[in-house]
């Protein structure tokens, strides 16, 4: 799946709470990380796999999150892919806000 397909098909299916969590969590982890490059698509994929049953919103959105994360990682690499995904989520949130 390419990025444009992921934005069109997966992003709208992920609820606002999960999108807000992704932006906040990634931003926080990058601030706390000794190297911001460590916070990447692969890190987020692993984290979600480990925590999918701990957080109901991850469980509820798992089938949309994982292909979207993989699409961004495959297209842009793990670090740039996550940066672009966060940008796209923020744009999507602005669109929803009005």
């Amino acid at each position: 799946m390419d990025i444009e397909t992921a934005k069109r098909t997966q992003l709208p299916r992920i609820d606002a709470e999960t999108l807000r969590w992704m932006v906040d969590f990634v931003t926080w982890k990058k601030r706390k990380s000794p190297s911001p490059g460590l916070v990447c698509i692969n890190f987020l994929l692993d984290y979600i796999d480990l925590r999918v049953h701990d957080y109901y919103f991850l469980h509820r959105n798992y089938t949309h999150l994982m292909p979207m994360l993989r699409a961004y990682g495959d297209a842009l690499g793990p670090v740039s892919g996550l940066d672009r995904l966060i940008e796209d989520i923020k744009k999507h949130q602005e669109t929803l806000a009005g």
Side-chain angles (χ1 to χ4, degrees), residues 43-86:
F43 165 78
L44 203 51
L45 286 168
D46 291 344
Y47 185 86
I48 290 171
D49 267 341
L50 288 173
R51 299 294 188 176
V52 69
H53 297 292
D54 296 338
Y55 297 105
Y56 67 93
F57 58 89
L58 292 178
H59 188 264
R60 185 176 60 231
N61 293 281
Y62 186 85
T63 58
H64 305 297
L65 283 170
M66 300 310 267
M68 186 174 67
L69 286 166
R70 287 188 189 103
Y72 276 81
D74 291 347
L76 300 171
V79 176
S80 296
L82 185 57
D83 292 341
R84 172 72 183 278
L85 175 59
I86 296 302

mmCIF file of all heavy atoms in Angstrom, residues 43-86:
data_model
loop_
_atom_site.group_PDB
_atom_site.id
_atom_site.type_symbol
_atom_site.label_atom_id
_atom_site.label_comp_id
_atom_site.label_asym_id
_atom_site.label_seq_id
_atom_site.Cartn_x
_atom_site.Cartn_y
_atom_site.Cartn_z
ATOM 1 N N PHE A 43 9.951 1.296 15.877
ATOM 2 C CA PHE A 43 9.704 1.422 17.307
ATOM 3 C C PHE A 43 8.199 1.425 17.589
ATOM 4 O O PHE A 43 7.715 0.726 18.475
ATOM 5 C CB PHE A 43 10.342 2.710 17.848
ATOM 6 C CG PHE A 43 9.830 3.099 19.209
ATOM 7 C CD1 PHE A 43 10.285 2.446 20.342
ATOM 8 C CD2 PHE A 43 8.879 4.093 19.348
ATOM 9 C CE1 PHE A 43 9.791 2.782 21.591
ATOM 10 C CE2 PHE A 43 8.389 4.436 20.582
ATOM 11 C CZ PHE A 43 8.844 3.787 21.716
ATOM 12 N N LEU A 44 7.461 2.209 16.815
ATOM 13 C CA LEU A 44 6.022 2.317 17.029
ATOM 14 C C LEU A 44 5.303 1.001 16.705
ATOM 15 O O LEU A 44 4.390 0.595 17.430
ATOM 16 C CB LEU A 44 5.451 3.464 16.198
ATOM 17 C CG LEU A 44 4.143 4.069 16.663
ATOM 18 C CD1 LEU A 44 4.174 4.461 18.134
ATOM 19 C CD2 LEU A 44 3.801 5.272 15.822
ATOM 20 N N LEU A 45 5.717 0.325 15.650
ATOM 21 C CA LEU A 45 5.138 -0.991 15.327
ATOM 22 C C LEU A 45 5.347 -1.962 16.482
ATOM 23 O O LEU A 45 4.413 -2.662 16.900
ATOM 24 C CB LEU A 45 5.763 -1.553 14.050
ATOM 25 C CG LEU A 45 5.334 -0.928 12.733
ATOM 26 C CD1 LEU A 45 6.253 -1.382 11.608
ATOM 27 C CD2 LEU A 45 3.892 -1.263 12.411
ATOM 28 N N ASP A 46 6.569 -2.017 17.005
ATOM 29 C CA ASP A 46 6.871 -2.913 18.129
ATOM 30 C C ASP A 46 6.080 -2.527 19.374
ATOM 31 O O ASP A 46 5.534 -3.382 20.068
ATOM 32 C CB ASP A 46 8.366 -2.904 18.445
ATOM 33 C CG ASP A 46 9.205 -3.561 17.374
ATOM 34 O OD1 ASP A 46 8.642 -4.297 16.529
ATOM 35 O OD2 ASP A 46 10.430 -3.323 17.354
ATOM 36 N N TYR A 47 6.028 -1.226 19.661
ATOM 37 C CA TYR A 47 5.313 -0.746 20.839
ATOM 38 C C TYR A 47 3.829 -1.122 20.761
ATOM 39 O O TYR A 47 3.251 -1.613 21.735
ATOM 40 C CB TYR A 47 5.469 0.774 20.986
ATOM 41 C CG TYR A 47 4.845 1.296 22.246
ATOM 42 C CD1 TYR A 47 5.561 1.298 23.434
ATOM 43 C CD2 TYR A 47 3.540 1.762 22.260
ATOM 44 C CE1 TYR A 47 4.989 1.760 24.610
ATOM 45 C CE2 TYR A 47 2.954 2.222 23.428
ATOM 46 C CZ TYR A 47 3.688 2.221 24.602
ATOM 47 O OH TYR A 47 3.116 2.668 25.757
ATOM 48 N N ILE A 48 3.224 -0.882 19.613
ATOM 49 C CA ILE A 48 1.799 -1.191 19.456
ATOM 50 C C ILE A 48 1.562 -2.693 19.572
ATOM 51 O O ILE A 48 0.611 -3.129 20.221
ATOM 52 C CB ILE A 48 1.256 -0.621 18.133
ATOM 53 C CG1 ILE A 48 1.211 0.907 18.217
ATOM 54 C CG2 ILE A 48 -0.124 -1.188 17.809
ATOM 55 C CD1 ILE A 48 0.902 1.597 16.911
ATOM 56 N N ASP A 49 2.448 -3.496 18.977
ATOM 57 C CA ASP A 49 2.305 -4.950 19.109
ATOM 58 C C ASP A 49 2.373 -5.397 20.571
ATOM 59 O O ASP A 49 1.635 -6.286 20.988
ATOM 60 C CB ASP A 49 3.377 -5.676 18.299
ATOM 61 C CG ASP A 49 2.914 -6.026 16.901
ATOM 62 O OD1 ASP A 49 1.686 -6.039 16.657
ATOM 63 O OD2 ASP A 49 3.772 -6.294 16.050
ATOM 64 N N LEU A 50 3.257 -4.774 21.342
ATOM 65 C CA LEU A 50 3.391 -5.144 22.753
ATOM 66 C C LEU A 50 2.226 -4.651 23.603
ATOM 67 O O LEU A 50 1.851 -5.292 24.580
ATOM 68 C CB LEU A 50 4.695 -4.573 23.324
ATOM 69 C CG LEU A 50 5.976 -5.229 22.847
ATOM 70 C CD1 LEU A 50 7.184 -4.441 23.350
ATOM 71 C CD2 LEU A 50 6.051 -6.664 23.344
ATOM 72 N N ARG A 51 1.664 -3.509 23.253
ATOM 73 C CA ARG A 51 0.646 -2.864 24.085
ATOM 74 C C ARG A 51 -0.775 -2.948 23.553
ATOM 75 O O ARG A 51 -1.678 -2.352 24.135
ATOM 76 C CB ARG A 51 1.004 -1.379 24.260
ATOM 77 C CG ARG A 51 2.312 -1.143 24.924
ATOM 78 C CD ARG A 51 2.258 -1.625 26.324
ATOM 79 N NE ARG A 51 3.469 -1.230 27.035
ATOM 80 C CZ ARG A 51 3.667 -1.453 28.299
ATOM 81 N NH1 ARG A 51 2.754 -2.070 29.003
ATOM 82 N NH2 ARG A 51 4.777 -1.082 28.870
ATOM 83 N N VAL A 52 -0.977 -3.680 22.476
ATOM 84 C CA VAL A 52 -2.297 -3.686 21.830
ATOM 85 C C VAL A 52 -3.415 -4.106 22.776
ATOM 86 O O VAL A 52 -4.526 -3.599 22.695
ATOM 87 C CB VAL A 52 -2.290 -4.537 20.541
ATOM 88 C CG1 VAL A 52 -2.133 -6.009 20.853
ATOM 89 C CG2 VAL A 52 -3.527 -4.277 19.713
ATOM 90 N N HIS A 53 -3.129 -4.977 23.718
ATOM 91 C CA HIS A 53 -4.166 -5.434 24.637
ATOM 92 C C HIS A 53 -4.225 -4.588 25.911
ATOM 93 O O HIS A 53 -5.152 -4.732 26.703
ATOM 94 C CB HIS A 53 -3.975 -6.903 24.979
ATOM 95 C CG HIS A 53 -4.110 -7.779 23.770
ATOM 96 N ND1 HIS A 53 -5.306 -7.949 23.117
ATOM 97 C CD2 HIS A 53 -3.201 -8.498 23.069
ATOM 98 C CE1 HIS A 53 -5.135 -8.742 22.065
ATOM 99 N NE2 HIS A 53 -3.866 -9.079 22.016
ATOM 100 N N ASP A 54 -3.259 -3.698 26.102
ATOM 101 C CA ASP A 54 -3.250 -2.820 27.272
ATOM 102 C C ASP A 54 -4.049 -1.541 27.052
ATOM 103 O O ASP A 54 -4.559 -0.954 28.001
ATOM 104 C CB ASP A 54 -1.817 -2.433 27.646
ATOM 105 C CG ASP A 54 -0.985 -3.628 28.066
ATOM 106 O OD1 ASP A 54 -1.575 -4.657 28.461
ATOM 107 O OD2 ASP A 54 0.251 -3.555 27.989
ATOM 108 N N TYR A 55 -4.126 -1.114 25.814
ATOM 109 C CA TYR A 55 -4.819 0.133 25.497
ATOM 110 C C TYR A 55 -5.967 -0.163 24.536
ATOM 111 O O TYR A 55 -5.747 -0.579 23.404
ATOM 112 C CB TYR A 55 -3.863 1.142 24.860
ATOM 113 C CG TYR A 55 -2.730 1.557 25.771
ATOM 114 C CD1 TYR A 55 -1.443 1.073 25.573
ATOM 115 C CD2 TYR A 55 -2.967 2.427 26.823
ATOM 116 C CE1 TYR A 55 -0.406 1.457 26.415
ATOM 117 C CE2 TYR A 55 -1.939 2.810 27.669
ATOM 118 C CZ TYR A 55 -0.665 2.325 27.459
ATOM 119 O OH TYR A 55 0.352 2.703 28.287
ATOM 120 N N TYR A 56 -7.175 0.083 24.996
ATOM 121 C CA TYR A 56 -8.355 -0.267 24.188
ATOM 122 C C TYR A 56 -8.362 0.449 22.842
ATOM 123 O O TYR A 56 -8.787 -0.093 21.847
ATOM 124 C CB TYR A 56 -9.643 0.019 24.951
ATOM 125 C CG TYR A 56 -9.888 1.485 25.200
ATOM 126 C CD1 TYR A 56 -10.648 2.244 24.312
ATOM 127 C CD2 TYR A 56 -9.349 2.112 26.312
ATOM 128 C CE1 TYR A 56 -10.858 3.590 24.520
ATOM 129 C CE2 TYR A 56 -9.559 3.463 26.529
ATOM 130 C CZ TYR A 56 -10.302 4.193 25.630
ATOM 131 O OH TYR A 56 -10.499 5.527 25.832
ATOM 132 N N PHE A 57 -7.866 1.699 22.808
ATOM 133 C CA PHE A 57 -7.897 2.429 21.547
ATOM 134 C C PHE A 57 -6.913 1.850 20.536
ATOM 135 O O PHE A 57 -7.170 1.909 19.336
ATOM 136 C CB PHE A 57 -7.665 3.936 21.755
ATOM 137 C CG PHE A 57 -6.376 4.281 22.442
ATOM 138 C CD1 PHE A 57 -5.216 4.487 21.722
ATOM 139 C CD2 PHE A 57 -6.337 4.426 23.818
ATOM 140 C CE1 PHE A 57 -4.033 4.809 22.346
ATOM 141 C CE2 PHE A 57 -5.157 4.766 24.459
ATOM 142 C CZ PHE A 57 -3.996 4.951 23.722
ATOM 143 N N LEU A 58 -5.805 1.282 20.992
ATOM 144 C CA LEU A 58 -4.887 0.601 20.067
ATOM 145 C C LEU A 58 -5.534 -0.669 19.535
ATOM 146 O O LEU A 58 -5.455 -0.966 18.342
ATOM 147 C CB LEU A 58 -3.561 0.271 20.745
ATOM 148 C CG LEU A 58 -2.671 1.436 21.120
ATOM 149 C CD1 LEU A 58 -1.411 0.940 21.828
ATOM 150 C CD2 LEU A 58 -2.311 2.262 19.896
ATOM 151 N N HIS A 59 -6.162 -1.402 20.410
ATOM 152 C CA HIS A 59 -6.840 -2.640 20.008
ATOM 153 C C HIS A 59 -7.940 -2.352 18.994
ATOM 154 O O HIS A 59 -8.073 -3.026 17.981
ATOM 155 C CB HIS A 59 -7.407 -3.331 21.250
ATOM 156 C CG HIS A 59 -7.943 -4.690 20.964
ATOM 157 N ND1 HIS A 59 -9.268 -4.911 20.717
ATOM 158 C CD2 HIS A 59 -7.323 -5.890 20.871
ATOM 159 C CE1 HIS A 59 -9.466 -6.186 20.490
ATOM 160 N NE2 HIS A 59 -8.297 -6.806 20.578
ATOM 161 N N ARG A 60 -8.709 -1.311 19.265
ATOM 162 C CA ARG A 60 -9.839 -0.940 18.412
ATOM 163 C C ARG A 60 -9.380 -0.509 17.015
ATOM 164 O O ARG A 60 -10.091 -0.697 16.044
ATOM 165 C CB ARG A 60 -10.605 0.193 19.105
ATOM 166 C CG ARG A 60 -11.854 0.626 18.423
ATOM 167 C CD ARG A 60 -12.607 1.686 19.210
ATOM 168 N NE ARG A 60 -11.804 2.877 19.416
ATOM 169 C CZ ARG A 60 -11.615 3.464 20.601
ATOM 170 N NH1 ARG A 60 -12.141 2.970 21.690
ATOM 171 N NH2 ARG A 60 -10.891 4.551 20.695
ATOM 172 N N ASN A 61 -8.195 0.072 16.902
ATOM 173 C CA ASN A 61 -7.708 0.626 15.636
ATOM 174 C C ASN A 61 -6.556 -0.161 15.014
ATOM 175 O O ASN A 61 -5.993 0.262 14.006
ATOM 176 C CB ASN A 61 -7.266 2.074 15.858
ATOM 177 C CG ASN A 61 -8.427 2.965 16.194
ATOM 178 O OD1 ASN A 61 -9.167 3.367 15.317
ATOM 179 N ND2 ASN A 61 -8.608 3.258 17.468
ATOM 180 N N TYR A 62 -6.214 -1.291 15.603
ATOM 181 C CA TYR A 62 -5.042 -2.064 15.194
ATOM 182 C C TYR A 62 -5.034 -2.391 13.696
ATOM 183 O O TYR A 62 -4.018 -2.226 13.034
ATOM 184 C CB TYR A 62 -4.980 -3.355 16.021
ATOM 185 C CG TYR A 62 -3.741 -4.167 15.801
ATOM 186 C CD1 TYR A 62 -2.585 -3.883 16.508
ATOM 187 C CD2 TYR A 62 -3.722 -5.231 14.902
ATOM 188 C CE1 TYR A 62 -1.430 -4.633 16.339
ATOM 189 C CE2 TYR A 62 -2.579 -5.987 14.712
ATOM 190 C CZ TYR A 62 -1.438 -5.681 15.431
ATOM 191 O OH TYR A 62 -0.293 -6.423 15.250
ATOM 192 N N THR A 63 -6.157 -2.832 13.168
ATOM 193 C CA THR A 63 -6.199 -3.266 11.768
ATOM 194 C C THR A 63 -6.004 -2.110 10.791
ATOM 195 O O THR A 63 -5.711 -2.348 9.622
ATOM 196 C CB THR A 63 -7.521 -3.986 11.429
ATOM 197 O OG1 THR A 63 -8.611 -3.111 11.708
ATOM 198 C CG2 THR A 63 -7.663 -5.267 12.220
ATOM 199 N N HIS A 64 -6.147 -0.886 11.251
ATOM 200 C CA HIS A 64 -5.901 0.278 10.394
ATOM 201 C C HIS A 64 -4.539 0.896 10.662
ATOM 202 O O HIS A 64 -3.893 1.410 9.747
ATOM 203 C CB HIS A 64 -6.996 1.327 10.587
ATOM 204 C CG HIS A 64 -8.367 0.785 10.373
ATOM 205 N ND1 HIS A 64 -8.796 0.283 9.159
ATOM 206 C CD2 HIS A 64 -9.405 0.627 11.224
ATOM 207 C CE1 HIS A 64 -10.024 -0.152 9.272
ATOM 208 N NE2 HIS A 64 -10.424 0.035 10.517
ATOM 209 N N LEU A 65 -4.105 0.844 11.922
ATOM 210 C CA LEU A 65 -2.809 1.426 12.284
ATOM 211 C C LEU A 65 -1.635 0.710 11.634
ATOM 212 O O LEU A 65 -0.742 1.354 11.070
ATOM 213 C CB LEU A 65 -2.610 1.380 13.807
ATOM 214 C CG LEU A 65 -3.348 2.391 14.643
ATOM 215 C CD1 LEU A 65 -3.224 2.036 16.118
ATOM 216 C CD2 LEU A 65 -2.793 3.782 14.384
ATOM 217 N N MET A 66 -1.631 -0.596 11.736
ATOM 218 C CA MET A 66 -0.461 -1.353 11.301
ATOM 219 C C MET A 66 -0.181 -1.208 9.797
ATOM 220 O O MET A 66 0.947 -0.922 9.413
ATOM 221 C CB MET A 66 -0.580 -2.811 11.730
ATOM 222 C CG MET A 66 -0.685 -2.977 13.241
ATOM 223 S SD MET A 66 0.566 -2.095 14.188
ATOM 224 C CE MET A 66 1.787 -3.371 14.350
ATOM 225 N N PRO A 67 -1.173 -1.378 8.917
ATOM 226 C CA PRO A 67 -0.876 -1.202 7.495
ATOM 227 C C PRO A 67 -0.463 0.234 7.164
ATOM 228 O O PRO A 67 0.385 0.458 6.304
ATOM 229 C CB PRO A 67 -2.163 -1.575 6.771
ATOM 230 C CG PRO A 67 -3.128 -2.009 7.780
ATOM 231 C CD PRO A 67 -2.529 -1.854 9.127
ATOM 232 N N MET A 68 -1.051 1.208 7.867
ATOM 233 C CA MET A 68 -0.689 2.595 7.612
ATOM 234 C C MET A 68 0.759 2.862 8.025
ATOM 235 O O MET A 68 1.528 3.469 7.281
ATOM 236 C CB MET A 68 -1.629 3.541 8.361
ATOM 237 C CG MET A 68 -1.407 4.995 8.017
ATOM 238 S SD MET A 68 -2.607 6.086 8.768
ATOM 239 C CE MET A 68 -2.187 5.920 10.493
ATOM 240 N N LEU A 69 1.149 2.378 9.193
ATOM 241 C CA LEU A 69 2.533 2.548 9.637
ATOM 242 C C LEU A 69 3.509 1.871 8.672
ATOM 243 O O LEU A 69 4.539 2.452 8.315
ATOM 244 C CB LEU A 69 2.714 1.981 11.047
ATOM 245 C CG LEU A 69 2.117 2.806 12.175
ATOM 246 C CD1 LEU A 69 2.043 1.994 13.449
ATOM 247 C CD2 LEU A 69 2.920 4.070 12.382
ATOM 248 N N ARG A 70 3.179 0.672 8.252
ATOM 249 C CA ARG A 70 4.058 -0.047 7.321
ATOM 250 C C ARG A 70 4.168 0.687 5.981
ATOM 251 O O ARG A 70 5.240 0.746 5.390
ATOM 252 C CB ARG A 70 3.556 -1.467 7.116
ATOM 253 C CG ARG A 70 3.800 -2.341 8.315
ATOM 254 C CD ARG A 70 3.471 -3.810 8.035
ATOM 255 N NE ARG A 70 3.511 -4.546 9.266
ATOM 256 C CZ ARG A 70 2.436 -4.934 9.951
ATOM 257 N NH1 ARG A 70 1.233 -4.660 9.501
ATOM 258 N NH2 ARG A 70 2.559 -5.602 11.072
ATOM 259 N N ALA A 71 3.068 1.248 5.510
ATOM 260 C CA ALA A 71 3.083 1.977 4.233
ATOM 261 C C ALA A 71 4.021 3.171 4.302
ATOM 262 O O ALA A 71 4.838 3.395 3.399
ATOM 263 C CB ALA A 71 1.670 2.435 3.861
ATOM 264 N N TYR A 72 3.943 3.929 5.375
ATOM 265 C CA TYR A 72 4.825 5.093 5.529
ATOM 266 C C TYR A 72 6.276 4.655 5.693
ATOM 267 O O TYR A 72 7.178 5.271 5.135
ATOM 268 C CB TYR A 72 4.386 5.938 6.725
ATOM 269 C CG TYR A 72 3.283 6.911 6.396
ATOM 270 C CD1 TYR A 72 1.957 6.498 6.353
ATOM 271 C CD2 TYR A 72 3.559 8.241 6.131
ATOM 272 C CE1 TYR A 72 0.935 7.384 6.058
ATOM 273 C CE2 TYR A 72 2.548 9.140 5.830
ATOM 274 C CZ TYR A 72 1.239 8.702 5.794
ATOM 275 O OH TYR A 72 0.240 9.599 5.492
ATOM 276 N N GLY A 73 6.509 3.602 6.459
ATOM 277 C CA GLY A 73 7.870 3.102 6.645
ATOM 278 C C GLY A 73 8.469 2.574 5.362
ATOM 279 O O GLY A 73 9.630 2.844 5.050
ATOM 280 N N ASP A 74 7.690 1.829 4.599
ATOM 281 C CA ASP A 74 8.179 1.271 3.328
ATOM 282 C C ASP A 74 8.486 2.372 2.321
ATOM 283 O O ASP A 74 9.459 2.296 1.587
ATOM 284 C CB ASP A 74 7.155 0.301 2.729
ATOM 285 C CG ASP A 74 7.014 -0.981 3.527
ATOM 286 O OD1 ASP A 74 7.864 -1.249 4.401
ATOM 287 O OD2 ASP A 74 6.035 -1.714 3.277
ATOM 288 N N ALA A 75 7.663 3.395 2.288
ATOM 289 C CA ALA A 75 7.822 4.452 1.284
ATOM 290 C C ALA A 75 8.944 5.427 1.624
ATOM 291 O O ALA A 75 9.689 5.853 0.732
ATOM 292 C CB ALA A 75 6.519 5.217 1.125
ATOM 293 N N LEU A 76 9.079 5.767 2.906
ATOM 294 C CA LEU A 76 9.998 6.854 3.270
ATOM 295 C C LEU A 76 11.106 6.461 4.236
ATOM 296 O O LEU A 76 11.934 7.292 4.587
ATOM 297 C CB LEU A 76 9.197 8.009 3.885
ATOM 298 C CG LEU A 76 8.131 8.622 2.982
ATOM 299 C CD1 LEU A 76 7.264 9.586 3.772
ATOM 300 C CD2 LEU A 76 8.773 9.317 1.799
ATOM 301 N N GLY A 77 11.097 5.230 4.684
ATOM 302 C CA GLY A 77 12.071 4.810 5.683
ATOM 303 C C GLY A 77 11.493 5.005 7.078
ATOM 304 O O GLY A 77 10.516 5.730 7.263
ATOM 305 N N PRO A 78 12.115 4.368 8.068
ATOM 306 C CA PRO A 78 11.518 4.366 9.403
ATOM 307 C C PRO A 78 11.453 5.733 10.092
ATOM 308 O O PRO A 78 10.473 6.043 10.757
ATOM 309 C CB PRO A 78 12.389 3.393 10.196
ATOM 310 C CG PRO A 78 13.584 3.129 9.377
ATOM 311 C CD PRO A 78 13.297 3.532 7.977
ATOM 312 N N VAL A 79 12.463 6.569 9.935
ATOM 313 C CA VAL A 79 12.468 7.864 10.625
ATOM 314 C C VAL A 79 11.656 8.897 9.840
ATOM 315 O O VAL A 79 10.735 9.522 10.367
ATOM 316 C CB VAL A 79 13.906 8.360 10.876
ATOM 317 C CG1 VAL A 79 13.906 9.744 11.505
ATOM 318 C CG2 VAL A 79 14.667 7.372 11.755
ATOM 319 N N SER A 80 11.965 9.069 8.575
ATOM 320 C CA SER A 80 11.237 10.044 7.749
ATOM 321 C C SER A 80 9.777 9.649 7.593
ATOM 322 O O SER A 80 8.896 10.509 7.523
ATOM 323 C CB SER A 80 11.883 10.164 6.371
ATOM 324 O OG SER A 80 13.188 10.674 6.486
ATOM 325 N N GLY A 81 9.510 8.349 7.550
ATOM 326 C CA GLY A 81 8.136 7.875 7.443
ATOM 327 C C GLY A 81 7.305 8.284 8.638
ATOM 328 O O GLY A 81 6.161 8.713 8.495
ATOM 329 N N LEU A 82 7.881 8.177 9.837
ATOM 330 C CA LEU A 82 7.143 8.570 11.039
ATOM 331 C C LEU A 82 6.936 10.080 11.070
ATOM 332 O O LEU A 82 5.859 10.559 11.418
ATOM 333 C CB LEU A 82 7.862 8.092 12.298
ATOM 334 C CG LEU A 82 7.122 8.330 13.608
ATOM 335 C CD1 LEU A 82 5.742 7.682 13.591
ATOM 336 C CD2 LEU A 82 7.932 7.830 14.781
ATOM 337 N N ASP A 83 7.954 10.831 10.689
ATOM 338 C CA ASP A 83 7.817 12.292 10.652
ATOM 339 C C ASP A 83 6.695 12.705 9.702
ATOM 340 O O ASP A 83 5.856 13.547 10.032
ATOM 341 C CB ASP A 83 9.128 12.952 10.236
ATOM 342 C CG ASP A 83 10.231 12.792 11.280
ATOM 343 O OD1 ASP A 83 9.914 12.496 12.450
ATOM 344 O OD2 ASP A 83 11.411 12.951 10.910
ATOM 345 N N ARG A 84 6.665 12.119 8.528
ATOM 346 C CA ARG A 84 5.632 12.440 7.535
ATOM 347 C C ARG A 84 4.253 12.005 8.019
ATOM 348 O O ARG A 84 3.264 12.725 7.842
ATOM 349 C CB ARG A 84 5.981 11.781 6.208
ATOM 350 C CG ARG A 84 4.929 11.849 5.144
ATOM 351 C CD ARG A 84 4.771 13.243 4.544
ATOM 352 N NE ARG A 84 3.699 13.258 3.585
ATOM 353 C CZ ARG A 84 3.788 12.856 2.315
ATOM 354 N NH1 ARG A 84 4.943 12.437 1.841
ATOM 355 N NH2 ARG A 84 2.746 12.895 1.525
ATOM 356 N N LEU A 85 4.177 10.840 8.656
ATOM 357 C CA LEU A 85 2.904 10.365 9.182
ATOM 358 C C LEU A 85 2.347 11.341 10.215
ATOM 359 O O LEU A 85 1.174 11.691 10.174
ATOM 360 C CB LEU A 85 3.051 8.977 9.797
ATOM 361 C CG LEU A 85 1.821 8.412 10.494
ATOM 362 C CD1 LEU A 85 0.635 8.305 9.549
ATOM 363 C CD2 LEU A 85 2.139 7.064 11.116
ATOM 364 N N ILE A 86 3.190 11.813 11.117
ATOM 365 C CA ILE A 86 2.747 12.755 12.137
ATOM 366 C C ILE A 86 2.271 14.049 11.483
ATOM 367 O O ILE A 86 1.235 14.609 11.870
ATOM 368 C CB ILE A 86 3.859 13.001 13.182
ATOM 369 C CG1 ILE A 86 4.169 11.700 13.950
ATOM 370 C CG2 ILE A 86 3.480 14.130 14.137
ATOM 371 C CD1 ILE A 86 2.991 11.075 14.676
#
